[in-house]
Amino acid sequence: SLYRIPAVKDLKIETDFWKRSVKISARERQLWGVVCDENNLSCFGLDENGVIFGKVPSVSGFLILKISDINKRFFFPGQGLFSRPEWFANLKQSIEVLNRNGLKVVSAEIGDLSLREWTARTAKGSNFYFSLNFSPENLDSVLKNLKKEINVGAAGYIDLRVPNRIYYK
């Protein structure tokens, strides 16, 4: 059972009866981001599938994505960040589109889970509000069109929590 060793992503066991050998190979999880409680007292590594796999120190800066959670939840290695895997997929997809469009996400904050909201903070200082329930359709083209109309880096926030609507200030 790999649940006892959450840092291991895959385990492959090959046996050769004639040679009397057993070959075991393991792949470890790669750090995609760090999730911390709201006081930054407890931080855990997070892989590309949203699985928490080990305790890590608090991070700052631009190199590693830091996700803060204000929900006072306890994290355990081996569990997923969210109860629904599609929520993490929506968060990850939105972050990748923002990064691809030159809006480097430096941190994220998971808001009240009953509202299913999260915020992405970019290096330029803008906040993007998203819903965990969906990733905005055609976000790539929406951002390109929005860049033509406003200075996205100077915007205080851009709210994409409502399907097919954009609010900004």
Side-chain angles (χ1 to χ4, degrees):
S1 172
L2 292 180
Y3 291 110
R4 293 182 182 205
I5 312 170
V8 175
K9 183 176 184 175
D10 298 341
L11 192 62
K12 186 177 179 182
I13 301 173
E14 297 175 3
T15 58
D16 188 342
F17 181 73
W18 301 111
K19 291 182 180 179
R20 295 183 181 181
S21 67
V22 177
K23 181 180 177 183
I24 300 173
S25 58
R27 280 193 320 160
E28 63 182 328
R29 296 187 187 276
Q30 298 297 312
L31 185 69
W32 181 81
V34 172
V35 61
C36 297
D37 62 7
E38 80 180 311
N39 298 324
N40 292 326
L41 297 176
S42 181
C43 296
F44 292 89
L46 190 66
D47 78 349
E48 70 276 357
N49 296 319
V51 176
I52 296 167
F53 65 88
K55 198 158 178 69
V56 298
S58 181
V59 298
S60 61
F62 296 86
L63 297 177
I64 300 173
L65 176 67
K66 181 177 181 180
I67 301 173
S68 300
D69 186 0
I70 66 163
N71 291 291
K72 299 184 189 322
R73 296 186 293 162
F74 293 103
F75 297 113
F76 300 100
Q79 81 179 48
L81 180 60
F82 299 115
S83 58
R84 297 175 142 183
E86 62 268 14
W87 288 357
F88 183 77
N90 292 336
L91 178 136
K92 182 180 175 186
Q93 181 182 5
S94 298
I95 288 173
E96 288 172 353
V97 172
L98 288 170
N99 287 339
R100 196 169 44 239
N101 281 283
L103 300 164
K104 175 71 175 149
V105 177
V106 294
S107 67
E109 181 178 283
I110 300 168
D112 187 356
L113 281 178
S114 65
L115 299 175
R116 295 179 177 96
E117 297 175 346
W118 68 279
T119 305
R121 292 188 180 88
T122 64
K124 295 182 180 180
S126 299
N127 289 333
F128 284 80
Y129 300 123
F130 292 95
S131 172
L132 290 171
N133 291 326
F134 66 94
S135 180
E137 288 184 39
N138 304 320
L139 182 58
D140 203 22
S141 60
V142 167
L143 290 173
K144 288 177 183 171
N145 289 335
L146 194 60
K147 282 182 179 180
K148 292 177 186 174
E149 293 187 26
I150 66 168
N151 182 357
V152 176
Y157 69 85
I158 297 173
D159 190 340
L160 300 160
R161 292 176 286 191
V162 179
N164 301 319
R165 298 280 186 257
I166 301 173
Y167 302 98
Y168 60 88
K169 177 181 174 188

